Amino acid sequence: MAEDETGRLLEKLDTGQKVRLLTGASNWRTYAEPAVGLRPVTMSDGPSGVRGETWDERRTSLVLPSPTALAASWDEELVRELGGLLATEARRKGVQVLLAPTLNLHRSPLGGRHFECFSEDPLLTARTGVAFVKGVQEGGVAATAKHFVANDAETDRLHVDVRVTERALREVYLAPFEAAVEAGVWAVMSAYNKVNGVTMSASPLLEWPLKGDRPLPGNGPVQGGWGFDGLVVSDWGAVRSLLGSARSGQDLAMPGPRSPWAAGLLAAVTAGLIDEARIDDKVRRLLRLARRVGALGEPAPARRPLTPPAGERALLRRAVAAGTVLLRNERGALPLDPDRLRRVAVIGPRATAVRIQGGGSAEVFPSSVVTPLEGIEAALREAPVRGGADGRAEVTYTPGVPPDTRPRPLDPAWTRDPRDGEPGVLVRLLDADGAELHAEHRLSGRIVEPARVAGAVTVEIRALVRPPESGSWTLGVGGWGLISLSVDGRTLLSGEFPLDSDDPTRVHVSPPYRCARAELTEGVESEVVARRRLDSGTGVATLLAAAPPPGDAPTALAAAVAAARAADVAVVVVGTTEESESEGRDRESLALPDGQDALVRAVARANPRTVVLVNSGGPVALPWHREVPALLLTWFPGQEAGHGLADVLFGHAEPGGRLPTTWALAEEDVPVLDTRPREGRLPYEEGVHIGHRAWLRAGAEPAYWFGHGLGYTTWQYEGLEAPRAADGEGVGVDVRVRLRNTGPRRGREVVQVYVARADTTVDRPVRALAGYAAVEAGPGEEAVATVRLAARALAHWSADGGRWETEPGAFTLLAGSSAGELPLSTTVTVVAPGPLAPDSSMESALR
């Protein structure tokens, strides 16, 4: 009935009205059309929080653990619940479409945006993504599967031509999107990049397999079309041509109001260059999306939050522990017992400057952040122990490395608005004569979107800076065009800095800093003023930042060693920086920056009870990992970082995470590493062999295998049961794995089943993840995991036949706790070859 009504509404619109709807009305909204009762649809980033329509630090958001941390939980119910929390946040901010989840893969650990992706594996990514989509859309908000497709690195991401075989596309890179479509996702975002020579906003992949709008050539039954009925929205600025994209399955060009479609689509339709039936299909999909999110016809009734507000922080805290991966725990180093601690040394730059999210377009502003240091202190305050004067363990902190000398936006802790005296900065918009048109108090030196005021020519950021230490400070202004910087009326910097990039993140979100140095005195205020001319084409983001004087590395390291020696346990928190891991650029190295490897080694030598927490969005090299008794991966853990990590450290919660990506000991060991195009092309020469599959084919041993993670108990795998035979017509099999909790406390284990095939004519992985399930049991208890393997797990894509096929013969099933720890195995024989039946879909693989 709704589809019939959508058709009737379409008949009320003339060609001009239809075409107008297909480009955004603004950065984040679509056009309204009163003639059919269509209201604007508002979109927003992102996967770790909902920013809303504006980049304003005064409009805060809840911050979830990064998508990599969500995948590390291997817990779809938790991810679904967190998706519901995002839906509640979206509705609170007037957002109907959330631009998430990111379903691209961790092809290379150098990928700079991997914190926003789930994993290296198509099945784990698919299952996690489906849970995310369901959670968001159950809350009445559209999820958006992005970036379709093969957008797995940041180098030259707007123009790179990814060369990949049809089989690798189907089995690896398209698989998570197929799963999202079969789960009912309402929107898909086309990527910036090209695939096999065609930019994705004009790619035939948008029609087939995504929409299933046309059959593949050839005789016989056709498989592989998904029948997506939702909206294909472009990545921001990804529609860069007219006819190719308009003739494709691309439906909506964002942002607006300017785009190639806004400039020429109506004329192209009028001239007969584009069939109006294509326009009708695009508009029909937009109307369908609007109806689903309550922007068409009668407004949707108000929904109660899926998670009550009182439970939001508790859920985020639980999610931190669920995604934290315990890589090592020698001699029972963890959990820590407060009753046995008199002094705890917390060391490392990320203990206080914790990274809770990755940088780039998906970044949001948290209302509060609990650091690891704060979490540890709070946990010990709540547990009376022997030791300090008040009966509790004493906590000391030292960074162990010199202060970061890279500029960071001005901190309200030591800056204030010169007009009202409040912590923060004064932002003014000036006309051509320098007269003030608008002024407002802001909380940070990072002004991504100043107010829009007619006649404004210059944006000014002004602050009284009271530095916490004396010395030569680095001051920086981020932005493009004509820029100046002064301190106490003395000009330090003035110049024209032309735009050198068309990457939206670099232009509009994180422009580079132009720096100068100034001598500042501790406790003495200086007035710092940055100005930038708002020239057309230079964006509006303007940043005023500072960095303290360089410190002395040997002195900082010596202080950390002394603190570690004097403590019962040393907790070292290290991690990546905004420069080493962020959207818009790939990583240059897997090494931890700023001497942090040396810090870990020195502390571990000084105190044999050293626990290391790694605060990064993706893999880093761990050359010292065997030198520390306990090692935890925290990822980017969201705003409740400190409380959730303290829960793990002190045993109030188990470290629930398992690796979603294989971790190398050293960069040179990684079998698939390259992210840099050659002559504009990035060949995926490894085919279907990425992640653990690539390590297995290379015969190499990583530091930690995909799927690895320890808890606070131990498990014995005792038995594996599977049918002896399976037919090749698309019916999956159930595998039962028996295991026993052999440790001292209740725990959760993620049971993983992999498939291998020795005698084969197909280029298969040595083994690949085929299914998984989690079990819980108390000490001494037996548990049985039932792992569903869809027929797709035993199949391969035949490019010649254009379909999924199953090779007859014996497949080996292996069960265990990671891709490298599989103590159980059995054989299942496929007895009938042939193309797969409909039950072979990705949806069946997720049941």
Side-chain angles (χ1 to χ4, degrees):
M1 192 69 178
E3 288 300 303
D4 293 341
E5 177 62 21
T6 299
R8 286 192 290 272
L9 295 178
L10 195 61
E11 293 172 358
K12 295 181 179 182
L13 302 175
D14 62 30
T15 304
Q17 289 172 307
K18 295 174 189 174
V19 166
R20 179 173 178 267
L21 293 175
L22 299 181
T23 291
S26 66
N27 274 347
W28 303 108
R29 289 192 181 194
T30 63
Y31 280 105
E33 181 47 75
V36 294
L38 175 65
R39 294 177 293 282
V41 174
T42 301
M43 306 180 183
S44 173
D45 295 310
S48 295
V50 185
R51 186 175 59 250
E53 291 187 82
T54 60
W55 287 82
D56 189 327
E57 74 285 351
R58 296 167 297 184
R59 295 178 173 88
T60 60
S61 307
L62 294 175
V63 185
L64 281 64
S66 65
T68 308
L70 301 188
S73 73
W74 296 60
D75 186 340
E76 287 141 73
E77 284 305 310
L78 174 63
V79 173
R80 192 167 182 166
E81 194 173 353
L82 290 165
L85 180 58
L86 287 173
T88 300
E89 278 278 276
R91 295 198 308 271
R92 179 173 68 86
K93 295 196 169 200
V95 169
Q96 290 90 31
V97 178
L98 185 66
L99 301 175
T102 300
L103 299 180
N104 304 117
L105 299 179
H106 296 179
R107 175 180 170 268
S108 162
L110 290 178
R113 200 177 182 180
H114 280 351
F115 54 83
E116 199 175 317
C117 311
F118 289 124
S119 83
E120 71 181 28
D121 185 79
L123 179 60
L124 178 59
T125 295
R127 288 179 58 166
T128 309
V130 164
F132 187 101
V133 166
K134 288 182 176 179
V136 170
Q137 294 188 172
E138 285 165 359
V141 175
T144 307
K146 67 179 189 182
H147 309 83
F148 189 86
V149 64
N151 187 211
D152 309 294
E154 295 297 281
T155 305
D156 195 24
R157 63 176 179 153
L158 302 190
H159 309 287
V160 62
D161 183 5
V162 173
R163 295 301 175 114
V164 56
T165 66
E166 181 181 339
R167 183 179 171 214
L169 273 174
R170 287 287 189 156
E171 293 188 20
V172 179
Y173 299 100
L174 285 170
F177 291 95
E178 182 182 358
V181 168
E182 294 191 11
V185 71
W186 293 344
V188 168
M189 180 186 287
S190 60
Y192 289 123
N193 56 287
K194 299 175 184 176
V195 171
N196 296 331
V198 183
T199 188
M200 280 310 305
S201 62
S203 173
L205 293 170
L206 297 178
E207 294 186 286
W208 189 272
L210 180 58
K211 293 182 176 179
D213 283 347
R214 61 176 177 79
L216 291 173
N219 300 319
V222 175
Q223 292 186 0
W226 306 343
F228 174 60
D229 71 351
L231 183 83
V232 177
V233 58
S234 73
D235 205 340
W236 265 228
V239 171
R240 296 186 285 265
S241 65
L242 174 59
L243 295 182
S245 58
R247 289 169 176 165
S248 78
Q250 184 69 53
D251 298 321
L252 176 66
M254 290 296 289
R258 291 179 294 276
S259 81
W261 288 8
L265 185 53
L266 179 58
V269 175
T270 303
L273 298 176
I274 298 169
D275 190 340
E276 189 157 356
R278 281 196 174 273
I279 302 301
D280 287 349
D281 180 65
K282 298 176 194 298
V283 175
R284 184 178 290 108
R285 290 170 179 273
L286 177 62
L287 294 176
R288 186 180 296 138
L289 174 71
R291 187 180 298 280
R292 285 168 167 167
V293 300
L296 181 64
E298 291 297 319
R303 292 172 178 257
R304 295 180 62 185
L306 299 178
T307 302
E312 290 173 347
R313 293 186 64 179
L315 174 59
L316 297 179
R317 180 172 180 166
R318 177 159 58 91
V320 175
T324 297
V325 181
L326 179 60
L327 292 182
R328 282 175 62 83
N329 194 20
E330 301 298 310
R331 304 182 300 278
L334 290 177
L336 301 175
D337 182 356
D339 288 335
R340 298 179 179 274
L341 299 176
R342 294 175 301 167
R343 180 175 295 172
V344 176
V346 180
I347 298 167
R350 295 286 159 249
T352 54
V354 61
R355 293 195 71 191
I356 65 168
Q357 61 184 323
S361 63
E363 191 173 355
V364 298
F365 297 99
S367 59
S368 63
V369 175
V370 183
T371 68
L373 175 61
E374 291 168 337
I376 290 169
E377 289 175 332
L380 289 172
R381 280 197 304 270
E382 296 166 4
V385 294
R386 299 185 299 271
D390 63 353
R392 295 178 174 87
E394 177 187 358
V395 179
T396 63
Y397 172 67
T398 179
V401 295
D404 190 347
T405 56
R406 293 170 286 253
R408 297 288 182 255
L410 290 187
D411 189 333
W414 41 271
T415 62
R416 64 187 183 99
D417 183 330
R419 186 165 290 179
D420 62 18
E422 293 296 315
V425 304
L426 172 67
V427 176
R428 301 198 305 153
L429 294 173
L430 313 176
D431 67 13
D433 297 323
E436 181 181 298
L437 298 175
H438 173 83
E440 62 182 350
H441 175 74
R442 299 292 292 264
L443 304 178
S444 164
R446 186 183 183 201
I447 310 300
V448 179
E449 289 182 348
R452 297 181 181 274
V453 177
V457 172
T458 300
V459 60
E460 177 190 273
I461 306 175
R462 185 181 292 261
L464 295 176
V465 175
R466 186 187 297 270
E469 63 178 287
S470 299
S472 179
W473 283 68
T474 300
L475 302 176
V477 184
W480 308 93
L482 184 63
I483 288 173
S484 67
L485 173 68
S486 67
V487 176
D488 293 330
R490 181 168 58 93
T491 300
L492 301 182
L493 174 71
S494 180
E496 185 102 24
F497 301 93
L499 191 68
D500 67 2
S501 173
D502 58 355
D503 190 305
T505 297
R506 183 170 171 83
V507 174
H508 300 294
V509 179
S510 302
Y513 286 113
R514 327 299 175 176
C515 295
R517 299 186 74 84
E519 292 293 327
L520 302 178
T521 303
E522 178 182 355
V524 176
E525 284 189 335
S526 294
E527 186 172 53
V528 179
V529 180
R531 288 185 174 181
R532 188 175 79 82
R533 193 172 65 198
L534 295 171
D535 292 334
S536 177
T538 62
V540 297
T542 307
L543 291 73
L544 178 54
D552 181 66
T555 300
L557 186 62
V561 168
R565 284 180 177 149
D568 299 302
V569 63
V571 179
V572 186
V573 191
V574 294
T576 56
T577 65
E578 294 176 18
E579 289 72 22
S580 63
E581 208 175 5
S582 182
E583 179 184 353
R585 57 184 175 272
D586 288 318
R587 299 164 67 184
E588 297 181 358
S589 168
L590 293 184
L592 286 170
D594 305 331
Q596 293 179 91
D597 286 332
L599 172 64
V600 171
R601 282 188 155 131
V603 172
R605 286 194 295 267
N607 190 327
R609 293 194 66 193
T610 294
V611 179
V612 179
L613 280 62
V614 178
N615 177 207
S616 70
V620 297
L622 304 170
W624 38 259
H625 74 115
R626 292 191 180 91
E627 300 171 34
V628 298
L631 174 58
L632 285 159
L633 306 183
T634 75
W635 315 105
F636 295 154
Q639 68 179 59
E640 294 300 310
H643 287 324
L645 295 173
D647 288 342
V648 170
L649 289 172
F650 294 104
H652 305 310
E654 198 176 26
R658 304 294 185 267
L659 283 180
T661 298
T662 305
W663 278 50
L665 179 61
E667 186 173 316
E668 56 268 23
D669 298 335
V670 179
V672 177
L673 189 67
D674 191 20
T675 63
R676 303 197 177 277
R678 296 180 289 278
E679 298 181 348
R681 297 180 179 181
L682 181 60
Y684 284 17
E685 295 172 340
E686 67 281 354
V688 300
H689 305 279
I690 70 167
H692 61 281
R693 305 174 179 192
W695 285 89
L696 289 162
R697 184 173 71 158
E701 187 75 16
Y704 298 100
W705 282 102
F706 171 79
H708 172 73
L710 306 173
Y712 287 153
T713 190
T714 54
W715 298 88
Q716 177 71 38
Y717 282 75
E718 296 181 342
L720 172 62
E721 301 173 10
R724 291 186 177 182
D727 66 49
E729 302 299 327
V731 178
V733 298
D734 285 336
V735 176
R736 288 167 53 86
V737 182
R738 288 185 295 104
L739 63 164
R740 188 175 301 278
N741 183 340
T742 56
R745 58 184 278 171
R746 186 170 187 83
R748 174 179 179 267
E749 176 75 336
V750 179
V751 178
Q752 302 160 45
V753 175
Y754 293 74
V755 63
R757 177 70 185 264
D759 181 18
T760 179
T761 61
V762 179
D763 177 26
R764 297 180 182 276
V766 174
R767 58 180 175 268
L769 182 69
Y772 61 89
V775 296
E776 290 189 12
E781 293 179 352
E782 180 184 88
V784 177
T786 300
V787 181
R788 174 72 175 176
L789 306 189
R792 180 73 66 85
L794 306 179
H796 64 277
W797 178 260
S798 170
D800 293 336
R803 63 191 185 187
W804 292 96
E805 294 181 353
T806 307
E807 185 183 21
F811 287 81
T812 301
L813 305 181
L814 305 100
S817 58
S818 76
E821 185 66 29
L822 299 164
L824 304 179
S825 65
T826 190
T827 299
V828 61
T829 300
V830 173
V831 296
L836 298 188
D839 190 48
S840 67
S841 68
M842 277 301 298
E843 184 176 23
S844 71
L846 306 183
R847 292 176 189 152

